[in-house]
Amino acid sequence: AEELSGILPPETQVGRLDRDSAARPGRTEEILAGFAAGETRVLVGTQMLSKGHHFPRVTLVVAADADMGRNLPDYRAAERTFQLLVQVSGRAGRGDAPGRVLIQTRNPADPFWELVRRADYQGFYAEELRRRKKWGYPPFSKLALVRLSFPKDDPEGFTVLSEVGRVLRQAAAQAGPEVRVLGPAPASLPLIGGRRRYHCMIKSPDWPAIRTLYARIQAVIPRGGEVRASLDLDPVDML
């Protein structure tokens, strides 16, 4: 929003809609009403703008840095980004004037963008299902995320982490080739509240095998210590 205010003509009002700007009760409605009335000519926002709004005079939608959502370390990233971009594209051209959509990417050769451009739900579904089957993600496997954390200055943390990785790999090998373990690896948000965060991903054909592996982890984590572990079955958020 700050960048656009310096680029566009001075009389162009640039609004902003995100969780911070809309924190006060009723503020979201005020921002949207000002945009609908034409008082604000340009509205910059997060995915709060992507769906459920009807502005007939909007003729241009810009999705900046669309690779950010596409490349998140989450097997659902492509699905969520596809939905978001198709939805936000629908905000343009809802009136008499035609609409235009610009999507910024550093990898325009990726076939994903052509699926988005055509709003090709069936094509995306088929490609996404193929990828998930190839790499063993749901619905072709059960998925769990083991979340581990310890204080950033705790010398015992890395020792326990190494032991957890060894035990997990050993238990997975005993469980059979269909049970796979990835990690421990730093989480996407590796430090929160002074605690280092690590993730282990477990893929298995069934839930009991995952619970068995997690029980082996708990056996090597010192009771009363600073290392914490939790098991998230079929995780919605992998960050």
Side-chain angles (χ1 to χ4, degrees):
E2 291 174 357
E3 289 289 334
L4 287 176
S5 296
I7 295 172
L8 298 173
E11 66 274 12
T12 305
Q13 293 295 318
V14 178
R16 172 183 158 189
L17 179 62
D18 58 16
R19 189 174 297 176
D20 293 333
S21 63
R24 177 168 58 82
R27 181 57 180 155
T28 298
E29 290 73 17
E30 293 176 8
I31 295 171
L32 293 174
F35 185 61
E39 299 166 5
T40 302
R41 299 296 303 277
V42 178
L43 187 56
V44 180
T46 58
Q47 53 188 297
M48 294 172 68
L49 286 177
S50 65
K51 58 183 177 179
H53 305 300
H54 177 63
F55 301 116
R57 288 187 288 180
V58 171
T59 57
L60 176 65
V61 166
V62 177
D65 203 6
D67 296 317
M68 182 179 295
R70 173 85 169 97
N71 296 327
L72 287 175
D74 188 323
Y75 76 94
R76 297 186 185 92
E79 176 185 355
R80 290 170 174 166
T81 302
F82 179 85
Q83 291 176 343
L84 179 65
L85 292 175
V86 171
Q87 287 167 349
V88 77
S89 297
R91 301 314 101 200
R94 299 177 71 86
D96 295 331
R100 188 182 185 196
V101 180
L102 302 179
I103 298 175
Q104 182 190 32
T105 174
R106 293 171 177 82
N107 186 20
D110 187 342
F112 172 82
W113 304 115
E114 180 62 20
L115 296 171
V116 172
R117 190 185 70 81
R118 299 197 311 261
D120 185 355
Y121 287 91
Q122 292 296 330
F124 174 79
Y125 173 79
E127 174 61 17
E128 184 68 5
L129 213 60
R130 182 192 68 80
R131 290 167 58 89
R132 291 194 188 186
K133 185 175 183 179
K134 178 180 179 180
W135 300 111
Y137 283 101
F140 302 100
S141 72
K142 305 298 184 184
L143 190 69
L145 199 64
V146 178
R147 306 177 190 272
L148 299 157
S149 72
F150 53 89
K152 64 178 182 179
D153 298 323
D154 181 13
E156 184 185 37
F158 288 106
T159 301
V160 175
L161 190 70
S162 177
E163 182 65 8
V164 165
R166 185 191 67 79
V167 167
L168 261 183
R169 287 186 289 272
Q170 183 182 65
Q174 294 171 352
E178 292 185 323
V179 178
R180 288 177 281 177
V181 172
L182 302 175
S188 299
L189 303 174
L191 189 66
I192 295 181
R195 296 183 67 86
R196 300 185 188 275
R197 303 172 68 245
Y198 286 81
H199 287 168
C200 297
M201 183 185 295
I202 305 174
K203 300 177 185 179
S204 170
D206 55 60
W207 295 120
I210 290 175
R211 293 190 176 93
T212 298
L213 262 65
Y214 184 63
R216 297 283 296 271
I217 292 176
Q218 290 180 306
V220 301
I221 295 179
R223 294 184 179 277
E226 292 288 350
V227 179
R228 299 174 189 166
S230 63
L231 177 64
D232 190 351
L233 298 175
D234 195 15
V236 174
D237 176 9
M238 301 185 70
L239 301 180

